[in-house]
Amino acid sequence: MDRLQIEGGHRLDGSVQVAGAKNAALPILAASLLSDRDLVLGNLPAVTDVTAMLELLREFGVRIDGPRQGRLVLHATGIVNTEATWDIVRRMRASFLVLAPLVARFGHARISRPGGCSIGTRPVDLHLEALAALGASVETAGGVIDVTAPRAGGLQGGRINLAFPSVGATHTAMMAATAARGETEIVNCAREPEIVDVATCLARMGARIEGAGTHRIRVEGLTLWQPAEHMILPDRIEAGTYLIAAALTGGQVEVTGGRLEHLGGVCEVLDAAGVTVFPSDRGLIAERHGPLRSVDMTTGPFPAFPTDLQAQFMTLMTQAEGVSTIRETVFENRFMHVPELQRLGANIEHRGSVARVRGRSPLDGASVMATDLRASMCLVLAGLVARGWTTVNRVYHIDRGYEDVEGKLRRCGARIERRTGA
């Protein structure tokens, strides 16, 4: 099993190229099932979640040319299967996104309940309610979800009112609505940049969508699909991670591909902490010249501070002056990294959805265990400033969402190596 070994105390300087956004790539790959016309995708991230999604698409009968240099062509003409088995679904929660396009195109799909990171229950009820609002029947038994569109006329346009602005449920609702008869209105939908990117790709494929990026999306159904080409937008979570890494080590890092409009809430918090983030010709630059200041922060749906950067920000606050309070409002179990940070010497009190971080904690290298994707990255960041060597185990979590993390950090001056085996 791979692990990362990091020697702390080395300032980061240089540039990091941000990969394509995993959280946009996965639903767009799923959306390829909607159409029998070719879909060409560029800027795909080389991460294991994308590899798993491509493997799932091949099981359905999608022919895939590539990827070559982040670009591939999907041909979903000969679909032979509409069931996603537990074998793949258990490894990646995002595989649940194939449900809506399969129902939309073929009228029926079966899928096992998803797995993924252990950061909370993350029920799929909102996805299923969205499909039911368009007339689909939903049956669940034995860990399998069976969804069928009405035989007479297929899915019907309607109003989908999401109880929470869920990113995944918004993706599901948009994809299903493209095949429904009439207009569908999706209310209280997510506004994340990844939603806009998926809607843009669907529009290039022929869908008629308005309002992506707002709380209300309208979709005119019965899409006439066409061949399309789309470039995945840059990964704002990866960009934010490297901005935090620069702030943590006191260096200056240019994050090529980072977009200020995607990270406004993050940059506001970093500015309050004494970190300057400003645009460059190629992306964003982060630097700090004085001590870090403690900042209270609450996660929330976009444009608030993203839950996917909460763990990384907590590592930053371990080195700030004073006490910071971090409130997690999106997932109920997203403080699993706290005990591992405490193993390195962090002074953190955690109760329920609130963590209090007492800063200026001297961190000492130790062997720690990654519990989920973002938690694993926060431990890598901690290793950058811990005294001596830190070993981060179970780095397969990192590989799910970060492309060549050790290479990118090493090129900025970090001492980090990947080790395999016992």
Side-chain angles (χ1 to χ4, degrees), residues 263-383:
L263 291 163
V266 175
C267 292
E268 287 179 11
V269 172
L270 290 178
D271 182 68
V275 182
T276 301
V277 179
F278 54 94
S280 69
D281 291 341
R282 303 187 301 172
L284 300 173
I285 295 176
E287 63 181 8
R288 83 171 158 89
H289 299 289
L292 287 165
R293 300 186 293 268
S294 62
V295 181
D296 294 342
M297 183 273 288
T298 300
T299 65
F302 187 84
F305 196 99
T307 181
D308 281 353
L309 284 172
Q310 176 257 106
Q312 299 90 309
F313 180 76
M314 184 179 291
T315 296
L316 184 68
M317 288 296 95
T318 67
Q319 303 305 298
E321 299 279 0
V323 179
S324 58
T325 300
I326 297 174
R327 290 179 172 83
E328 173 59 53
T329 69
V330 180
F331 294 123
E332 77 278 8
N333 197 23
R334 203 157 204 179
F335 284 145
M336 295 179 68
H337 50 279
V338 169
E340 300 304 302
L341 285 175
Q342 289 170 334
R343 278 182 54 77
L344 298 173
N347 188 340
I348 304 171
E349 298 175 6
H350 161 226
R351 179 173 297 178
S353 61
V354 178
R356 287 173 56 84
V357 184
R358 190 171 299 278
R360 303 301 295 169
S361 300
L363 303 183
D364 289 299
S367 182
V368 290
M369 195 75 69
T371 56
D372 63 72
L373 170 54
R374 307 306 172 183
S376 59
M377 197 61 202
C378 96
L379 299 176
V380 170
L381 297 183

Side-chain angles (χ1 to χ4, degrees), residues 35 41 129 193:
S35 166
L41 297 178
E129 289 168 6

Side-chain angles (χ1 to χ4, degrees), residues 12 16 50 62 89 97 100 104 110 119 173-174 184 207 226 335 339 400:
L12 297 185
V16 173
V50 166
V62 178
V89 175
L97 291 168
R110 285 168 56 87
I119 57 176
M174 283 197 302
T184 297
Q226 61 193 28
F335 284 145
R400 288 184 49 231

